[in-house]
Amino acid sequence: MKRADVLRDLAQPWHVSVQSTTELAGSVAKAAAADDKAKQEKNQAPLRRKPELRPLPLKPLGLSLRLTPWDVLHTLGRANVLARQGAGRGLAEHWASLKYCQALTGNDGRYMALSTEGRNPRRHYAATQSGELSIGFALALAQRVLAAHYPDHSVSVIDAEIAMRAGWELTGKEAGRSSAPRRPNFFLEVWKPGEPSRVIPVTCKGTHGNVSQVHKQLATVSADVEGIHIGPYNETPSLVFGTTLPKKSENITVYLLQAPGDGTLRLPTTVTLDPSVEDRAIVPGIHVPTEPDEKPVVLPGYHLQPEEHGWFGRVLAQADAAGLMAFTGGGEPTARYLTKRQGKRHFETFTHAGTGIVQDVTHTIHGKNFVGTDHVFRLNGIRVEAFSGLAEDLFEHLREGRVEQYRHEAHALRSSWPADPWDSKWRGPVSLHPDGTVMALRRLRLR
């Protein structure tokens, strides 16, 4: 790829192939049955999966998935910004998405595919690449599906481990067991100020293999989303995604199935989102309905009962706020939205200036001011500046602890952000999301 083409290619929209069919659901069910049989032959317990996965009708929603590579990387960056807490937190977390700047392109059929760089095994470890890029594609699709289905609501992506750590001990060591129950990767919260939220567990997988590998992956991850129930038993909706990233110049394809359900958080009218949340010690276990004279049945997993809905609603909103603050620079503004078990202390500690990030940069993108952080690195031999931030007014609300006001204003603005993937004044690709975040890249000019 020529140097002059690197940034333009990131802003080029491509179609992304999406499959959600009855045939896919049938193939996943067969893969699950085969896995159960194999485990039984080895005297192993079969996985407890969602009882029924179904296709999600996409045509009635009028959905045509068209993404730029930069938008995929923005989605990945937002989703994972709280997941990596190494010594070089700022650079490491942002590099999780920025390292793929040259991994995606389009093919002759105008569909997104891996670039020559992305197919190079010397540059990318295959399992890591397929796993991370699949998150970007799956969540980009999930947000668009839910936004189309609930047009008067906003959609937030929340790291499931961060949210659940406020209520449960998630590892076998923490809980005094050899292993912990399976759980999803993310929660999608569908919300509107003043109304109950819907919470949808999501798990994403990716592979460089063929669709038969996706069938096996979806059969397995259906056990992950089965690991938590919200409200009544077996009434929690979920989404499972598998993405194929062929090593030839073939279409990247996202495969999607759903488990129907309600997933509504019945919030007390007195709940406000601003006060800090506290860690709770919820006893693990999914409670299966039984007759009054029957012995209670408790399955491995996590069950959010109605009396915890108000608390969990605040957990989700504040975990979302923590992710937004981490995306703009981390540190104390992130820590204020996390509990001790969620990693509050890590964000309170001093981070070395060479590897940490601070909210010390303001840029104007498409005529709007954003506050955030930047990194300078080399891309195809040229020095570039990557900026990630949040709209200035929305940033001020979260910096001052005003989660309620952030949500009211972000919701009102969700459809107003410019969609042009290139800003000529910025001189590079940009991606603006409905939550008010931006990720932008440009060639660094010599002073």
Side-chain angles (χ1 to χ4, degrees):
M1 186 182 302
K2 296 180 181 179
R3 292 186 179 187
D5 295 336
V6 176
L7 301 187
R8 284 287 180 183
D9 200 58
L10 285 168
Q12 174 64 49
W14 303 100
H15 294 287
V16 177
S17 181
V18 179
Q19 297 290 330
S20 185
T21 63
T22 302
E23 291 75 17
L24 175 63
S27 296
V28 172
K30 290 179 181 178
D35 182 65
D36 289 346
K37 182 179 179 180
K39 282 183 166 56
Q40 290 171 352
E41 291 174 350
K42 297 177 181 178
N43 293 320
Q44 298 175 350
L47 295 176
R48 194 183 77 250
R49 300 177 171 87
K50 277 291 180 186
E52 183 181 0
L53 292 177
R54 306 176 185 176
L56 182 67
L58 299 174
K59 288 185 178 179
L61 299 178
L63 183 71
S64 176
L65 189 61
R66 201 161 176 257
L67 300 170
T68 68
W70 193 238
D71 190 45
V72 175
L73 301 189
H74 183 178
T75 303
L76 173 60
R78 271 288 287 119
N80 273 355
V81 74
L82 292 175
R84 292 166 174 79
Q85 298 184 354
R89 182 183 69 234
L91 180 59
E93 290 171 351
H94 282 69
W95 192 249
S97 60
L98 295 176
K99 66 186 177 185
Y100 296 120
C101 281
Q102 292 177 262
L104 300 171
T105 187
N107 58 27
D108 293 339
R110 307 295 294 174
Y111 278 82
M112 201 173 301
L114 288 178
S115 65
T116 302
E117 172 84 9
R119 298 195 299 270
N120 188 339
R122 295 173 296 175
R123 300 290 183 91
H124 295 288
Y125 180 59
T128 300
Q129 184 202 58
S130 62
E132 290 182 334
L133 285 179
S134 70
I135 292 172
F137 284 102
L139 295 180
L141 172 59
Q143 289 174 293
R144 283 159 176 76
V145 166
L146 292 175
H149 197 72
Y150 301 98
D152 60 341
H153 286 67
S154 291
V155 181
S156 292
V157 176
I158 297 149
D159 186 304
E161 179 173 340
I162 292 293
M164 292 176 66
R165 276 195 174 277
W168 295 275
E169 295 173 330
L170 297 184
T171 69
K173 182 178 180 180
E174 289 172 334
R177 299 186 301 268
S178 60
S179 63
R182 304 178 74 100
R183 59 182 183 273
N185 300 138
F186 300 98
F187 293 122
L188 292 175
E189 183 189 6
V190 182
W191 56 271
K192 183 178 181 181
E195 295 187 5
S197 295
R198 292 173 63 90
V199 182
I200 303 168
V202 173
T203 297
C204 320
K205 285 291 184 181
T207 179
H208 291 293
N210 56 29
V211 68
S212 64
Q213 182 63 26
V214 171
H215 299 157
K216 296 176 183 178
Q217 289 182 333
L218 293 183
T220 299
V221 300
S222 68
D224 296 342
V225 292
E226 170 64 12
I228 183 167
H229 288 231
I230 297 171
Y233 173 75
N234 204 32
E235 293 186 18
T236 305
S238 60
L239 295 170
V240 293
F241 295 86
T243 302
T244 55
L245 297 101
K247 290 186 177 180
K248 298 180 180 180
S249 183
E250 299 173 2
N251 298 353
I252 291 173
T253 303
V254 184
Y255 297 85
L256 162 64
L257 291 174
Q258 65 162 333
D262 183 26
T264 299
L265 290 180
R266 308 295 178 184
L267 304 178
T269 56
T270 56
V271 167
T272 59
L273 302 177
D274 292 349
S276 299
V277 296
E278 69 286 351
D279 284 322
R280 296 195 176 182
I282 303 175
V283 178
I286 297 173
H287 301 270
V288 181
T290 57
E291 296 297 329
D293 57 343
E294 292 180 338
K295 184 179 179 180
V297 176
V298 181
L299 301 174
Y302 310 94
H303 201 158
L304 190 75
Q305 300 294 343
E307 60 268 24
E308 305 285 1
H309 282 196
W311 165 81
F312 197 63
R314 286 194 294 126
V315 168
L316 292 176
Q318 298 221 1
D320 186 29
L324 288 162
M325 288 288 93
F327 191 69
T328 63
E332 287 286 348
T334 303
R336 76 179 300 158
Y337 294 114
L338 298 173
T339 69
K340 180 179 179 180
R341 284 212 306 262
Q342 290 174 322
K344 182 184 187 75
R345 182 181 301 176
H346 176 77
F347 286 92
E348 290 175 328
T349 58
F350 174 80
T351 304
H352 190 274
T355 57
I357 50 178
V358 291
Q359 295 149 330
D360 62 351
V361 180
T362 300
H363 284 303
T364 301
I365 308 291
H366 283 319
K368 300 179 183 294
N369 292 335
F370 293 85
V371 178
T373 189
D374 60 0
H375 291 293
V376 175
F377 61 99
R378 288 192 179 275
L379 177 60
N380 200 24
I382 62 174
R383 294 183 73 210
V384 294
E385 173 190 10
F387 171 71
S388 60
L390 180 66
E392 191 171 37
D393 291 346
L394 301 179
F395 172 83
E396 290 297 327
H397 291 320
L398 292 183
R399 187 175 66 175
E400 299 301 322
R402 300 189 294 263
V403 181
E404 287 271 4
Q405 196 162 354
Y406 161 78
R407 284 210 157 188
H408 275 83
E409 294 190 17
H411 180 74
L413 293 169
R414 70 191 187 281
S415 301
S416 67
W417 303 107
D420 191 342
W422 185 272
D423 184 340
S424 57
K425 291 185 177 180
W426 167 263
R427 310 182 316 278
V430 298
S431 170
L432 281 78
H433 281 190
D435 60 4
T437 60
V438 66
M439 199 160 86
L441 188 71
R442 66 180 173 183
R443 184 169 183 170
L444 194 65
R445 285 182 173 175
L446 299 177
R447 296 184 183 275

